[in-house]
Amino acid sequence: MAISTKSLDYEQAGQVYEGFLAMPEGTPKAVVVIAHAWGGPGEFDQGKAKMLAEWGYAAFAMDVYGKGKRGETVEECQALMNPLASNRAELQSRLQFGLETAKKEAGCDKASAIGFCFGGLSVLDMARAGMAVDGVASFHGLLGAPGNTDGNKVKAKVLVLHGWDDPMAKPEDVLTFSKEMSEAGADWQLHAYGGTMHAFTNPGANDPDFGTVYNPAAERRSLAALKDFLSEMYG
């Protein structure tokens, strides 16, 4: 399928953000928003946007850091992520604006969201906060509740794609999360991959001591699960 892509700037509260839009031929089934990992948006997210456009969806790789704010080293990435990870209301505000921008730019009312690592945390917060998404899918995401959505019902369908040996989301975190989702009345599912660590979809991840290792089998399985998840909602 022929797809079209473009980078675009969008602005909220005086801060410019850099998005990337991929469009399929014809009318998209829906728009899928992509939330980036802790280093900020880049080629990885653009690749996922193109993949989704080939599946027939509009896809918008959003930015919650600001144009030009990107991390390379662990320290740089932490310096970008930590202020938002510790201020989830601000993160949720930026995610909401990214979602609105995606719908407007793609011309779609129907939307879902997917995210990787920190982006997994982000899309789970979109569901927890009751944003207008049909479903969210977290790939090796952080699972901790934000603290400002307790008691909310989760209306979006939730898919969690998780490496069982992820040191950043341990089995006890998974159990806490499953209890949270069940109490919120969510339609949730969790796929856990054995022998799999954090960042398993990222071919550049190869740091066992840090807990980030690419796993091609888990990547393939998780993307197949995503495709099925989206097809369930949009046909």
Side-chain angles (χ1 to χ4, degrees):
M1 175 187 288
I3 64 169
S4 60
T5 64
K6 68 174 181 177
S7 295
L8 58 105
D9 292 350
Y10 60 107
E11 188 173 339
Q12 180 189 31
Q15 173 69 62
V16 176
Y17 299 93
E18 188 174 17
F20 179 85
L21 180 71
M23 296 290 290
E25 270 187 312
T27 305
K29 301 175 191 177
V31 62
V32 180
V33 181
I34 302 164
H36 57 75
W38 69 340
E43 288 181 7
F44 178 88
D45 311 275
Q46 294 180 10
K48 294 295 178 283
K50 293 170 187 172
M51 175 193 78
L52 287 159
E54 286 167 359
W55 292 358
Y57 303 96
F60 184 74
M62 63 178 162
D63 174 11
V64 298
Y65 287 164
K67 187 170 183 175
K69 296 181 181 179
R70 307 290 180 258
E72 295 287 340
T73 66
V74 168
E75 292 74 21
E76 288 171 353
C77 294
Q78 285 176 334
L80 288 166
M81 178 183 78
N82 289 347
L84 291 172
S86 59
N87 184 354
R88 301 281 274 273
E90 174 61 26
L91 173 61
Q92 290 157 12
S93 167
R94 296 183 188 193
L95 293 166
Q96 175 66 40
F97 187 68
L99 174 63
E100 291 166 4
T101 302
K103 288 183 172 183
K104 183 177 74 184
E105 292 290 340
C108 293
D109 292 327
K110 295 185 290 188
S112 287
I114 69 171
F116 300 82
C117 306
F118 171 56
L121 172 149
S122 296
V123 300
L124 292 172
D125 267 22
M126 292 173 78
R128 289 165 166 139
M131 296 183 201
V133 285
D134 299 313
V136 303
S138 161
F139 290 78
H140 38 83
L142 310 177
L143 302 176
N148 68 342
T149 60
D150 299 353
N152 287 8
K153 290 294 175 198
V154 171
K155 298 191 174 96
K157 296 178 189 289
V158 175
L159 171 64
V160 172
L161 303 153
H162 174 66
W164 194 248
D165 296 338
D166 187 336
M168 299 168 207
K170 295 179 177 174
E172 55 266 31
D173 301 322
V174 174
L175 289 173
T176 301
F177 173 79
S178 65
K179 187 167 180 281
E180 178 201 352
M181 287 295 110
S182 294
E183 288 174 352
D187 173 350
W188 68 275
Q189 52 182 310
L190 183 138
H191 299 214
Y193 306 109
T196 304
M197 300 178 94
H198 192 70
F200 60 78
T201 63
N202 183 354
N206 183 25
D207 189 347
D209 293 339
F210 191 54
T212 54
V213 178
Y214 176 56
N215 183 319
E219 178 191 37
R220 183 185 59 76
R221 293 167 181 171
S222 65
L223 291 174
L226 172 65
K227 194 170 191 178
D228 180 68
F229 181 67
L230 294 172
S231 295
E232 186 179 283
M233 291 183 288
Y234 304 119

